[in-house]
Every structure is written in structure tokens, then in C-alpha cells.
Amino acid sequence: MQCIRRQPKRSASQENILREQSRRVAALNGIRLGLKDDKDLKFLLKGSQLLKVKSSSWRKERFYKLQEDCKTIWQESKKVLRSPESQIFSIEDIRDVRSGHKTEGMEKYAKDVPEYRCFSIIFKDQRKNLDLIASSEDDANHWISGLAKIIAHSNSMNQKQKLQHWIHTCLRKADKNKDNKMSLKELKDFLKEVNIEVDDYHAKKIFQHCDKSKTEALEDDEIEEFYKILTERKEIDKIFQKYSDAEGFMSCQNLVRFLYETQQEEDAVVAAPALIQKYEPNERAKRGNAMTKDGFLMYLLSDDGNIFNSSHRKVYQDMTQPLSHYLVSSSHNTYLMEDQLTGPSSTEAYIRALTKGCRCVELDCWDGPNSEPIIYHGYTLTSKILFSDVIKAIKNYAFKTSPYPVIISLENHCSVEQQKVMAQHMTTILQDMLLVAPLDGNKSQFPSPEQLKGKILVKGKKLSRQEDPTNGNNNLEAEDVSDEDEAAEIEDESVKTEIQQKGKSDTLKLAKELSDTVVYCKSVHFNGFEDPNHPRPFYEMSSFTESKALKLAQEAGTSFIHHNIRHLSRIYPAGWRTDSSNYSPIDLWNVGCQIVALNFQTAGTEMDVYQGRFQDNGFSGYVLKPEFLRDEQTKFNPKSITEGTWGTKKKLLLKIISGQQLPKVNKSKNSIVDPKVTIEIHGVQQDNNKKQTKVIENNGFNPKWDEEFTFDIEIPALALVRFVVEDFDMSTKNDFIGQYTLPFTSLKQGYRHIHLLTKNGDPYSSSTLFVYIDIQDCD
């Protein structure tokens, strides 16, 4: 049996020294965050008891404390054999901190506690919310305010500050005996912590170079020297030297030259002085209107040095065109958090989708107990939520990310009585947000997103005698309409059995009150493309399963494009996707389909491409289709491209230079990533392409590739570029490290940093790729 070595007990004086060191480190990190002597920060560093709420019968006291790194929170756990890592979560993992009863858990299980003592921590990934009750209003306010300040200040740190903070945290972690010195063994442990494998010879060489005092331990200035060696960016030094003088200054004139010649910035003369004032840390250089190497690096790591065109971070497209002229960020079965058969339904799923820019959400409505309609995936074991709770969540979050209209896509399976309740909930909860009458003016086409700002539209069935929603309503009380039951299309034996037992009808009685809420989005069955001589009303829209839509795109692309100029089309995943997997939206966008609904809860290439498309135009959830997808005379067909006004063909020259601080995939201390980069083009068939770099072994900290690639882009307006970083594995599937996707038309040229995103689409704090981009017109 193996003996377990106990750590020798520290004396009281040693404990006091460690406590004082910890206090100093926390104070230094507070200063780095810009929160020196902040009362809320001090309270969080001290920690407090909080009640953790999981259910009506599970409410237990736990101690929570901000660690000295001011980046992680430690939570007490009573679980046996729980690893220390599982008791810590990072501030970077927090999406939101909500006060009061603002989650389903708080709403259900903490109504007996005053709102001012309650708060919830919402995480970025699929982790469950953390619902907490403080012992007093003051304690709750300290936590809510303190966390909000740390998140805000962390987000406002520049890349260099983030890197410095992270490295010093890793150094502290590697300093096992907490003596503020670093032995050779601790240095090697630190290098593994930051994701770089260095053999003993090189580790010793770095150590000896920095150990000026010859004490066999690095301290103070020696650690700073080690930090400088580690964070050296030779590839950027080389660029800087080309434009700087012998004293290490880049004059404003030379910066203008760099911006104009290399970065292809048209406003270089105006931009250069502004960039010096914004990013140059050296006051002497700033006064002389010049830039040092540090300022140059800070510029390249900033939003101004980003691969994504910063002017596209705000709404810049024409928002006065008809609604059907835009791609609309849309979610399928929005209420689901996981799969389509047994997973939980939640209002939180609506909040997450809306805050990700989604503008069309889906509600599957069924009769519930106590005359209250419920939402769930019919015929399955997914959990149920109240229709009224979902409408409240939509009201509260519809316009937090974007001011442009939200479409509620109703799949209605309710009795007439509960349909009336649905209509009542929407009118009383949404009030003047809900569009219940057509806007004045043109009745031959959709109003624009600009005209519909702040409005919520309902998509659903309409009574046949109210054929024209734009001409007011009549007195018909209820009538049978066709039942479009998407849930019945699920390819699952238990679902098919359930449908057979219930005896499904093809029609549904529709209440006038619910019919009245539908103005511009009347659901109709698709019976083929319209005769140009007998056009159908513009407000009629159809839903297509992905396979039906792809077949139409393949066989009648130009006709589908013409249909989508006047009408909205909604596409949804095939019934066999019970695991909530997604289909590629590209081929459907290419024929102008607007509402291409994906499962927002499922990460992967399809969702990366989706979010890449919709980060354009200010993340507003609306992207204007190219002119050739809006022109009624268009002959464009993405499956058979002929000569036409589809934009100038481009040649993309791309150099993958280096990577910085790639995250560890396997948290094991000895596991170091072997990164490789894949560049993908997603667009029309001729443009789809994929190329990859070589594998760099055992270096996720600062891998260097220096590899060039060329891509021909036939239709730039429809192309997206995706950069994927993976940890190469010879025997199994490569592990995902990070990715970034953007429209080809949003690419900036020259030397740029790509700020990588996690699997769930959230930014890493300091993981980047450094690239060079050159775009040329094809002859």
C-alpha cells in the first residue's frame, strides 16, 4: 500500500507571512483591474456564507470567496473526493449576474425570500445557473456589484494587460512553497501550465540566463526578465523594425505609410495620430507623435488590429428595405436546452438565444393544466414550461441585444379556449410591443426592420375569411385550419407510437383572438412557386424542412430566389435530428431564404458559421441580402454560376504566422497541445475549400507556422472564412481548441490578430492567431 505524504504543518509566523503575501498579491491584482481599495472587491476577497438553491427541498449554506488572482471564485463543497479544480469557477465563465428572482430556479424555489437578498450567476456554457441567497441586502449588493465591476474591468483590459495578469497568476500557481522565488523545477512546472513543452536543456538555459544572482532561484527582476523572454514577439519586432528609427520609435509619418501600404487603410493620415494617442503607453513617444514597439503591439492586438472590420460592429447596412430582403437570425425549438426527445425545456433557452442576436424564436404550444397553455416538444418526454413565462422572458430580453423586430413563430396545438388564453397573455404582457395592426403606408410589400423597431410580430395561422391581414378583421369566431405539426415529423419510434395512439387530425380549430395577433406572417402550406401573373399576397409565408428546401435550391434555385424577394421562407431541421444536430445554412442563404432556423443550443461548425454571418451589421440579427438576391430581374443561380453582376472575383492570399496562448484542451498538467490551423471557405459550391497548416508539436503558448495559402473566391458577397485550431492526435479525432468565422466582406487586410472563440462561441481572454491578409481582384 502506498503511503500518503502529509504536508508539514506551517508555524503561526509562516501562516502570517503567507496571509500577508496573499493580501499583497490580491491588492496588486485589484490595481491591475483598476479597482484599488474598492469596497466590493475587498468584501469578495474576504468571502461570505451564501445559501445555494437547487430545489424546493435543497437549500444549503456554502462559503464563497474571490481568490487572490481576482479571476476565480472558490466555492465550499461537502462532496467527498471532490477535486480542488471543481470547487473553482472563473469570472471569465460568467455571462451575467442577475439580481432578484430572475431565473426559473429562483422563481420556483425562492419566492419566500425577499428579492433584494437573491441573485443568480449565469454561465456562458451549458452549465446550470447558480442561484444564491445572501444573509442581508448589503451582502447581496456587494456580490452583485463586485462581480459586475470585475467583469466590466476585465473586459476593458487590453490584451497586454490580460496576458500579464494571466502569466503572473500562472507563476503564482507554480510557486508551490509560496516563497516568491522560482526554482528550476517550478519554472518547468510553470511552462507546462502555460501550455509549452521545453526540454531540460532549454529550460536550464533560460533559467541560467535569468539567474543573474546565481542563487539557483529566480526572484523579482529575474522573474520579470523571464517574463520578457517568454512574451517576446519576434515576428512583430521584425515588422516594427522596418518602419522605426535607430532609437526604436516609429514616426507618425512612418505609421501612416505602414497603415496605407500594408494595412490597406484608406484613412491612414487621420487614423495614425489617433492610434498613437489611443495605444502608445510611453508619454515621451506620445508627445513626439510617435509609437514604440509596445504601442505597436497594443495596436495590433486591439480592435483596430482585428481581422474583423470594426466598422461592421455597428449597424451600417440600409435598414429601410422590406423585411424579406434580409437574412434573419432564427432559432429552432428555442425552448430546448439539449436534445429533441428527453431534454429540459427552459425560459433560459429563450434568453440565451435572444442575447445571441436571435430575432425569430419558436414556441410549440399545447394545452396545459389549470387552463394555462404550456410549451414543450409534443409527443416527447421533454419537460414543460408555461407559455406565459416564455412571453415574459421574450418581453424582458427581446431588445437587449438588438432594437430590430422579433418574430414569434407559433406552432399551435391548443384548444380554442387555451388559444384565447395565449392571445390574452401576448396582448397583456407584451402590450404595445406586440404588432396587432398593419403599419400605415404601402400594403404591397413588407415594412422595413427600421419601421418595425421595438416590435414583436407573430407568425401563425390566420382565419380564411381574414385572408388579408392588412385590411382589418371580421367577426368570425373560430374555424378549422390546416395543422402544420413539425413535432409529428420526428423520426423516433416512441413518437410515432404516441401519434398513432392519439389519432392525429390534419386540421385544427383556430380562435379568432389568436388569428388577430397575426399581421405580416401568415403561415400557409407551400404549393409551388407562384405564377408571376397571379402573385400571392406578400404576407403569406411557408415553412420547409431542410431536405425539401435543399431540393428546391438544387432544382429551382433562381425561382426560389425570386420567391424569397417578396415572401419570407422559414427552414427547420429534419425530423431525424433528434440529437439537436444542425444542418449547414449556407446553401439556403445562397437562394435568399431568410429564416433558416438552427438549434442554438448545439455547438459545431454550422453554429460557428451562423454566428459568423450574424456578427456582421452590428450583431443586429438582420443582414441585408446582396443586390443580386433582391433584384426582381435576377438570373443568379448558385448551383450554375454564369456571367453576371455578382461582384468582382477575388484572390485571397493568407499567411498563418503564429499563435498566442492557446488554451489547454486536456487539463492534465503534463498534457501540451500540438496545434494545427485549418482555413475553410463556406460559400457557393465553387468557393467551398479547405486548407491546413503543419502540426506544431508541444507548443500551445507561442507556436510559429509561417505558411501561405491562396484561395479563389467566385462570389465574395456569399463567402465566409472560418479559422479552426485543433490539437492534433495521431490515433483519435483531433480536439477542438478554438475558431473564428467571419464574412469575406468583413475581412481587414494586412497584419491582423484573430481573437479565437470557444466551442460555445464565447471569446477566450487572450488566445489569438497572428495572420497576414492580402485580397486582390482576379483578372
Side-chain angles (χ1 to χ4, degrees):
M1 183 177 165
Q2 194 176 10
C3 294
I4 297 171
R5 278 182 61 193
R6 291 185 179 277
Q7 291 284 349
K9 198 165 187 242
R10 295 189 185 103
S11 66
S13 63
Q14 284 175 319
E15 287 290 347
N16 286 336
I17 290 167
L18 284 174
R19 259 196 299 272
E20 179 55 26
Q21 280 180 0
S22 179
R23 190 196 64 75
R24 280 206 306 269
V25 169
L28 183 63
N29 285 323
I31 291 166
R32 283 192 185 123
L33 278 171
L35 293 172
K36 184 183 178 184
D37 297 331
D38 183 86
K39 286 179 183 176
D40 294 323
L41 184 70
K42 283 182 175 176
F43 179 88
L44 267 58
L45 286 163
K46 192 177 172 185
S48 75
Q49 296 285 350
L50 296 168
L51 278 175
K52 184 176 179 179
V53 181
K54 279 189 174 179
S55 69
S56 52
S57 59
W58 201 104
R59 190 185 284 184
K60 295 183 182 177
E61 200 170 67
R62 296 286 184 263
F63 187 75
Y64 288 82
K65 178 183 182 297
L66 180 68
Q67 303 279 78
E68 65 189 29
D69 62 2
C70 297
K71 276 179 64 175
T72 48
I73 289 172
W74 180 83
Q75 51 186 338
E76 177 189 13
S77 174
K78 298 290 169 78
K79 283 184 183 174
V80 182
L81 300 177
R82 186 166 181 180
S83 68
E85 289 80 16
S86 66
Q87 288 182 252
I88 289 170
F89 63 85
S90 171
I91 296 285
E92 287 170 8
D93 295 336
I94 298 174
R95 184 180 299 285
D96 192 15
V97 182
R98 295 184 201 150
S99 59
H101 304 144
K102 300 268 175 56
T103 62
E104 281 179 354
M106 282 301 199
E107 191 74 33
K108 283 181 187 173
Y109 312 127
K111 276 292 196 184
D112 58 315
V113 182
E115 283 211 61
Y116 57 73
R117 283 176 50 203
C118 301
F119 67 99
S120 301
I121 293 174
I122 317 300
F123 293 102
K124 286 178 180 174
D125 51 24
Q126 303 297 327
R127 214 181 320 182
K128 287 179 181 171
N129 299 337
L130 182 56
D131 294 323
L132 300 164
I133 300 170
S135 56
S136 69
E137 183 177 4
D138 276 355
D139 281 12
N141 287 338
H142 277 309
W143 277 102
I144 295 163
S145 178
L147 288 172
K149 284 179 196 171
I150 296 169
I151 292 166
H153 283 74
S154 294
N155 290 341
S156 65
M157 287 169 91
N158 63 47
Q159 289 294 117
K160 196 172 179 189
Q161 289 169 322
K162 285 179 184 176
L163 173 61
Q164 194 177 23
H165 193 173
W166 176 65
I167 284 182
H168 281 281
T169 301
C170 292
L171 283 167
R172 181 92 179 137
K173 203 187 278 189
D175 182 13
K176 293 285 187 271
N177 60 0
K178 306 298 178 200
D179 62 355
N180 281 343
K181 297 176 184 177
M182 187 182 281
S183 66
L184 177 59
K185 183 184 183 307
E186 286 173 336
L187 179 135
K188 288 198 286 198
D189 285 346
F190 164 79
L191 290 170
K192 284 178 181 171
E193 188 69 41
V194 299
N195 213 356
I196 183 168
E197 181 77 74
V198 176
D199 61 39
D200 287 353
Y201 171 77
H202 281 99
K204 197 168 184 182
K205 199 173 171 186
I206 295 169
F207 186 83
Q208 287 171 343
H209 172 81
C210 298
D211 184 20
K212 309 287 188 205
S213 58
K214 307 295 179 199
T215 56
E216 296 296 312
L218 307 185
E219 51 188 313
D220 301 331
D221 292 345
E222 294 169 341
I223 289 176
E224 284 303 311
E225 175 69 14
F226 170 64
Y227 168 80
K228 279 179 187 169
I229 290 170
L230 200 64
T231 56
E232 199 173 29
R233 295 283 303 273
K234 287 180 180 173
E235 70 275 35
I236 288 177
D237 293 352
K238 196 172 167 185
I239 303 162
F240 182 77
Q241 281 164 11
K242 188 179 170 187
Y243 292 91
S244 60
D245 60 24
E247 289 185 43
F249 291 105
M250 184 190 285
S251 68
C252 186
Q253 191 178 355
N254 278 349
L255 179 56
V256 167
R257 198 159 58 87
F258 169 75
L259 293 173
Y260 187 74
E261 292 172 357
T262 307
Q263 305 295 79
Q264 304 289 307
E265 300 284 8
E266 290 175 7
D267 61 345
V269 175
V270 176
L275 292 176
I276 291 168
Q277 291 307 308
K278 196 171 178 182
Y279 299 114
E280 180 49 57
N282 183 308
E283 286 302 322
R284 182 185 152 213
K286 202 186 273 189
R287 282 194 302 272
N289 207 17
M291 200 175 244
T292 61
K293 190 165 67 178
D294 279 350
F296 187 63
L297 174 59
M298 284 169 78
Y299 149 65
L300 285 174
L301 282 167
S302 75
D303 211 35
D304 290 301
N306 200 309
I307 192 171
F308 183 79
N309 189 334
S310 60
S311 69
H312 292 188
R313 291 196 194 283
K314 56 183 185 292
V315 174
Y316 68 95
Q317 294 176 345
D318 177 6
M319 301 304 281
T320 64
Q321 305 249 349
L323 200 65
S324 54
H325 287 194
Y326 299 83
L327 305 180
V328 184
S329 179
S330 308
S331 157
H332 170 249
N333 287 355
T334 314
Y335 47 88
L336 293 177
M337 299 284 279
E338 295 170 13
D339 65 74
Q340 305 283 312
L341 296 174
T342 59
S345 304
S346 172
T347 56
E348 196 62 47
Y350 286 89
I351 295 168
R352 287 183 183 183
L354 289 166
T355 51
K356 279 186 173 180
C358 179
R359 299 289 84 193
C360 179
V361 293
E362 188 177 359
L363 286 69
D364 283 3
C365 311
W366 300 78
D367 279 357
N370 309 315
S371 300
E372 281 293 339
I374 54 171
I375 289 175
Y376 83 112
H377 204 192
Y379 318 113
T380 71
L381 299 175
T382 57
S383 64
K384 301 169 175 71
I385 50 178
L386 287 174
F387 177 83
S388 58
D389 286 346
V390 170
I391 298 300
K392 285 174 194 167
I394 292 171
K395 180 194 176 180
N396 292 333
Y397 288 88
F399 304 111
K400 281 191 183 293
T401 301
S402 166
Y404 293 102
V406 166
I407 300 169
I408 291 177
S409 180
L410 289 183
E411 191 174 311
N412 167 30
H413 305 278
C414 292
S415 62
V416 168
E417 288 313 307
Q418 293 211 14
Q419 287 178 44
K420 290 177 181 178
V421 176
M422 285 165 61
Q424 187 185 3
H425 281 321
M426 286 196 286
T427 51
T428 55
I429 294 168
L430 299 176
Q431 297 178 345
D432 61 357
M433 281 184 184
L434 183 68
L435 188 80
V436 290
L439 299 181
D440 295 336
N442 193 341
K443 293 186 178 181
S444 63
Q445 63 179 19
F446 282 105
S448 69
E450 190 63 35
Q451 290 172 298
L452 292 166
K453 260 185 175 177
K455 290 295 180 186
I456 294 173
L457 284 65
V458 176
K459 171 202 159 285
K461 289 289 181 181
K462 193 86 178 157
L463 293 175
S464 63
R465 292 188 200 170
Q466 295 177 309
E467 272 306 301
D468 184 354
T470 65
N471 277 337
N473 301 314
N474 65 23
N475 298 318
L476 190 72
E477 286 303 312
E479 179 185 274
D480 283 345
V481 294
S482 63
D483 181 16
E484 292 179 8
D485 189 354
E486 290 172 20
E489 296 174 19
I490 294 179
E491 293 181 19
D492 180 79
E493 286 309 313
S494 60
V495 170
K496 287 176 183 173
T497 305
E498 179 83 5
I499 292 166
Q500 284 170 356
Q501 287 172 353
K502 287 191 173 177
K504 187 182 168 303
S505 167
D506 290 334
T507 60
L508 173 86
K509 201 166 278 298
L510 178 66
K512 176 183 182 296
E513 289 83 350
L514 191 60
S515 176
D516 286 349
T517 65
V518 177
V519 179
Y520 286 119
C521 301
K522 179 190 173 186
S523 295
V524 297
H525 186 71
F526 180 73
N527 290 313
F529 296 121
E530 67 190 13
D531 178 351
N533 299 316
H534 300 92
R536 290 201 298 269
F538 71 89
Y539 49 78
E540 290 187 352
M541 65 174 289
S542 301
S543 291
F544 307 84
T545 182
E546 62 176 276
S547 51
K548 173 77 181 287
L550 287 168
K551 191 169 187 289
L552 288 170
Q554 180 70 39
E555 296 175 0
T558 307
S559 297
F560 211 171
I561 289 168
H562 280 276
H563 174 83
N564 289 325
I565 292 169
R566 285 189 75 244
H567 299 275
L568 290 172
S569 291
R570 176 178 165 271
I571 321 298
Y572 58 94
W576 58 265
R577 294 186 185 275
T578 54
D579 59 351
S580 293
S581 62
N582 280 315
Y583 57 98
S584 170
I586 296 288
D587 285 344
L588 300 161
W589 286 337
N590 289 351
V591 290
C593 294
Q594 304 88 348
I595 301 175
V596 182
L598 293 198
N599 293 303
F600 268 49
Q601 72 273 30
T602 306
T605 304
E606 297 81 11
M607 203 62 215
D608 293 344
V609 167
Y610 206 83
Q611 291 298 83
R613 170 58 75 201
F614 285 106
Q615 72 167 314
D616 195 7
N617 202 30
F619 201 52
S620 63
Y622 285 85
V623 171
L624 186 64
K625 294 192 277 189
E627 173 63 33
F628 55 81
L629 293 182
R630 294 180 276 125
D631 177 11
E632 292 186 358
Q633 306 305 315
T634 190
K635 291 184 171 61
F636 180 73
N637 183 347
K639 296 296 179 186
S640 175
I641 292 170
T642 55
E643 289 300 315
T645 54
W646 330 131
T648 309
K649 296 176 190 177
K650 302 286 182 183
K651 189 176 284 292
L652 171 63
L653 304 168
L654 180 61
K655 186 177 185 181
I656 305 289
I657 301 169
S658 60
Q660 294 75 42
Q661 293 87 59
L662 302 179
K664 278 191 163 199
V665 176
N666 186 331
K667 296 297 178 190
S668 154
K669 188 176 83 172
N670 293 316
S671 173
I672 310 294
V673 300
D674 303 322
K676 70 161 191 168
V677 182
T678 303
I679 307 106
E680 302 169 354
I681 308 294
H682 298 261
V684 296
Q685 205 163 343
Q686 291 96 313
D687 290 344
N688 291 339
N689 206 340
K690 184 189 286 192
K691 295 180 181 181
Q692 58 191 37
T693 65
K694 60 180 177 283
V695 176
I696 304 293
E697 292 187 2
N698 290 323
N699 187 352
F701 184 74
N702 55 5
K704 305 271 190 306
W705 287 280
D706 279 324
E707 289 188 62
E708 293 183 357
F709 304 93
T710 305
F711 297 90
D712 290 325
I713 311 293
E714 186 94 15
I715 312 289
L718 296 179
L720 291 109
V721 187
R722 181 171 183 252
F723 298 86
V724 195
V725 188
E726 293 176 306
D727 179 14
F728 177 75
D729 196 308
M730 187 82 75
S731 54
T732 61
K733 189 182 173 194
N734 296 339
D735 287 318
F736 175 89
I737 293 176
Q739 70 84 31
Y740 189 76
T741 309
L742 75 165
F744 180 85
T745 51
S746 295
L747 280 171
K748 290 291 277 183
Q749 298 191 64
Y751 289 102
R752 303 287 170 178
H753 277 97
I754 298 170
H755 295 259
L756 295 173
L757 304 178
T758 66
K759 187 174 65 176
N760 292 305
D762 298 304
Y764 284 114
S765 64
S766 52
S767 298
T768 52
L769 292 177
F770 187 51
V771 301
Y772 177 76
I773 307 274
D774 185 31
I775 299 170
Q776 299 171 0
D777 291 348
C778 285
D779 297 331

